[in-house]
Structures are given as structure tokens and as C-alpha cells.
Amino acid sequence: MNSTPLPKALTPGQAASRAGLTVSALHFYEREGLISSWRTSGNQRRYDRAVLRRLGVIKTAQNLGIPLAEIRDKLSALHPEDPPSRDEWAEVASGWREDLSERIAKLTRLRDALDGCIGCGCLSASKCPLNNPNDRAAQRGTGACYVEDGGVAREDAPA
Amino acid sequence: MNSTPLPKALTPGQAASRAGLTVSALHFYEREGLISSWRTSGNQRRYDRAVLRRLGVIKTAQNLGIPLAEIRDKLSALHPEDPPSRDEWAEVASGWREDLSERIAKLTRLRDALDGCIGCGCLSASKCPLNNPNDRAAQRGTGACYVEDGGVAREDAPA
DNA sequence: ATGGAACCTCAACCCAAGTTGAGGTCAAGC
DNA sequence: GCTTGACCTCAACTTGGGTTGAGGTTCCAT
């Protein structure tokens, strides 16, 4: 049962092309502790097939905008090595999902604000929720950062 | 009507704090051609109040994830100096809006894929649309990049 | 047994978007 | 008239996510 047609190990080139990455990126990830490999007698890297899963997770998370350092942490929290259990993965993925949802919500708020502004030529008007050209925001702490975390255009309720 | 309480020019410190930025960022933006200033007899920068609008646009666009170089291009296409017309602004903003919508759509697709995966413990399964652990993607050109532009989980239709 | 592809290490470089620091000037209040 | 804080320039540094290149080795097919 060990004579499967699937090779047990991947060379760097195979791993890279299958993962849609470059070999240098693989080296980089290894240096950064995101993946691991072993060496042949000739000092060449070999990757377990499971590395493809890991690389998939890494790419996905990067797509989500998660920095590598956090990916590494989550990944290493998951398991010292080898396949994560469903529960472990679910927990990590749920965290990322929340993250994602927040980012979607933020972008959506931005888009709504932008929609309003497109119609109203708001940029030069005095009440643009994106923009605040009129200094009133200066009263609210440092900077007129309406569009930062948590909401756009909360210009009402100054009290 | 010219004795308004509003000062006609802003010092770097004022501009920075009103815009919610640092003075060094203002310098940087000026070097990069995103904003402009004039100098006092003592070589200190002064900013027109309109710079706050510009900085607002810049921050907004950055929030949208637009790189400074593109912001600069759009901004300079708008007008050599001074207030953009409503139409000009509308055009730029519409472009950004589309951009934003695309990004929202992409993140939403990702989230949906992630949702599926959380439920199914997919990471270790062989058909994860986020992840593609099973090498089949290697058949489709370079790399198993399901989650890139245009869709997630197009694993069907291999022909 | 040899030529070329794929691999190795290590250091240097790249980009964006700024920040930090040194060394010097300007402006305002007491 | 001096101190203090805001300002000036210029160069170097930072972080993140890698890429590029030099110089050398290994593997595989012919």
C-alpha cells in the first residue's frame, strides 16, 4: 500500500508550481517559519505533500489581507506539525471570517459614503462625510478621521 | 467679508492635525506631488485651506486601498490646481467606486468560500475550494490560484 | 562522463509609505 | 535677549513580502 502513484515528497520546483508560488517565496516562508521541509542526502529540500495545504491556507489568508506573522502564529497554534483537526481549523477560520466580515463592512460603508458623494459633488461641499473639508472634525480629538474604524459620517451627535 | 475668522493659510502643524496626519507625512505627500504649498519669507510652508479637501480625498482613497501613485495621477488629472468640478470629481470617484465594488465582491466570495470550509473541515478534505490540496489545479496553467481574481472554487469545468 | 536544469546559500536589492534623527532656522512670549 | 517650540533639509532607517544575483553543488538524461 505504499506504492501509490503519488510521490511522497515534492521538490521545491514542484511545490512552487503546484502552489502557484516561486521557489524563492517558498524559501522565504521557510525562513519565516511558515512551512518546513527536510533535506535529501544532497542537501536539497523536499516537501511533504501536506505543505500544499499549508500553502493554500497561507495564500488564502493573504488574500484576506492577513499578515504573514499572524498567519504563522495561527498556523503554529494549530498544530506543531501535520493536519489540523477540523475543530482547530474551524476556530482559526472563524477568526479570519470575522476579520473578513469587518473588512467587508468597512468597505461597504466607504462605498456608501462614496455613493453619496458622487451624487452631491460633495468634495467641494461643506458636509462631505468622506472628507470633512470644513474643519468641524478638528473638535473631535485628533484628526478628522470619519472613515476609520467603526463608521462613516458620524458627524451628528457632537455632544 | 474678508475678515472671516477663518485664517487663509494653514501652518504645517495645523494642516497635519486637522487632516489627522503627521507633518512628516505632509512633507512626503508634497515630495510625491500629491499636495503643494507655498513658503513664507522665512521658508516655512503654508497650505491653502483647500489642501484639507485634497488630504481628505487622499485618505479616503487610501482607505479604499488605492496606492498613492494612482491617487496622485487621478488627482492631477482632475485639475492642475484648486477645486475640482463636480463632474470631474464624480468621474474619479466613480472609478474608485468600481474598484471598491470589485474588492468587496472578491472578499465576499472569499468569505463564502470560507464559510463552506468552516463547516466541512475542508482543510483536510480533498475538495476545498479555498485551498485545493489535491493537486488537480496543477493541470490548469500555472498554479492553483482559485481564489484570485474573478471567482472562487471554479474547480468544475476542467475541460 | 558530461551538459544542462534544478538546486543550494547568502547578501543585496526592491517597493510602498512613511518615520526618525541630526543639525540648523524661525517666531513668539516673557 | 533668551528660551521654547514649531519649523527647515537631508539622509538613513523601518516593515512586509518578497526578488535577484553571484558563486557553487546536485541530479538526471544522454
Side-chain angles (χ1 to χ4, degrees):
Chain A
M1 314 78 170
N2 219 343
S3 60
T4 56
L6 292 170
K8 55 242 153 272
L10 297 164
T11 65
Q14 286 167 345
S17 81
R18 297 229 153 140
L21 295 166
T22 62
V23 171
S24 73
L26 259 39
H27 289 182
F28 178 73
Y29 291 160
E30 190 170 337
R31 278 202 302 285
E32 295 295 305
L34 285 141
I35 59 175
S36 60
S37 63
W38 68 89
R39 303 299 178 109
T40 64
S41 54
N43 195 36
Q44 302 202 341
R45 284 174 182 85
R46 287 300 178 264
Y47 296 99
D48 192 281
R49 304 184 62 74
V51 83
L52 295 177
R53 292 211 288 271
R54 246 177 132 87
L55 291 172
V57 176
I58 291 167
K59 285 186 73 179
T60 300
Q62 282 204 288
N63 257 314
L64 306 190
I66 317 281
L68 285 188
E70 188 190 328
I71 300 174
R72 176 188 49 216
D73 293 349
K74 288 275 165 58
L75 239 32
S76 69
L78 262 189
H79 51 80
E81 262 305 320
D82 273 336
S85 77
R86 173 178 338 227
D87 287 353
E88 288 168 332
W89 160 242
E91 202 175 315
V92 169
S94 301
W96 283 343
R97 201 210 113 101
E98 264 175 46
D99 218 276
L100 235 196
S101 288
E102 264 172 43
R103 296 232 314 292
I104 289 170
K106 185 175 169 185
L107 288 180
T108 302
R109 283 194 302 272
L110 263 175
R111 185 175 61 183
D112 291 348
L114 201 49
D115 278 346
C117 286
I118 289 170
C120 76
C122 196
L123 222 217
S124 44
S126 58
K127 53 188 167 26
C128 178
L130 274 176
N131 199 348
N132 184 60
N134 206 24
D135 289 18
R136 273 169 297 167
Q139 303 163 3
R140 308 192 325 139
T142 316
C145 312
Y146 287 108
V147 181
E148 239 110 79
D149 294 315
V152 155
R154 292 205 255 71
E155 196 165 10
D156 42 2
Chain B
M1 310 76 174
N2 220 343
S3 60
T4 56
L6 292 170
K8 54 242 154 273
L10 297 164
T11 65
Q14 287 167 345
S17 82
R18 296 227 155 143
L21 295 166
T22 62
V23 171
S24 74
L26 259 39
H27 289 183
F28 177 73
Y29 291 160
E30 190 170 337
R31 278 203 301 285
E32 295 295 304
L34 285 143
I35 59 174
S36 59
S37 64
W38 68 88
R39 302 299 178 108
T40 64
S41 55
N43 195 36
Q44 301 203 342
R45 284 174 183 84
R46 288 300 178 266
Y47 296 99
D48 192 281
R49 305 184 62 74
V51 84
L52 296 178
R53 291 210 289 272
R54 242 175 136 85
L55 292 172
V57 176
I58 292 167
K59 286 187 72 180
T60 300
Q62 282 204 290
N63 256 315
L64 305 190
I66 318 280
L68 284 189
E70 189 190 327
I71 301 174
R72 177 187 49 215
D73 293 349
K74 289 274 164 59
L75 239 31
S76 68
L78 264 189
H79 51 78
E81 262 304 321
D82 273 336
S85 78
R86 175 179 336 226
D87 288 353
E88 288 168 331
W89 160 243
E91 201 175 315
V92 170
S94 300
W96 283 342
R97 201 209 112 101
E98 264 174 46
D99 218 275
L100 234 197
S101 289
E102 263 171 46
R103 294 232 315 292
I104 290 171
K106 184 174 169 186
L107 289 181
T108 302
R109 283 194 301 272
L110 264 175
R111 185 176 59 184
D112 291 349
L114 201 49
D115 278 346
C117 287
I118 290 171
C120 76
C122 198
L123 221 218
S124 44
S126 58
K127 54 189 165 27
C128 178
L130 272 177
N131 200 345
N132 183 60
N134 207 23
D135 288 18
R136 274 168 295 165
Q139 304 162 2
R140 308 191 324 138
T142 317
C145 312
Y146 288 109
V147 182
E148 239 110 81
D149 296 313
V152 155
R154 294 204 254 70
E155 197 164 11
D156 41 2

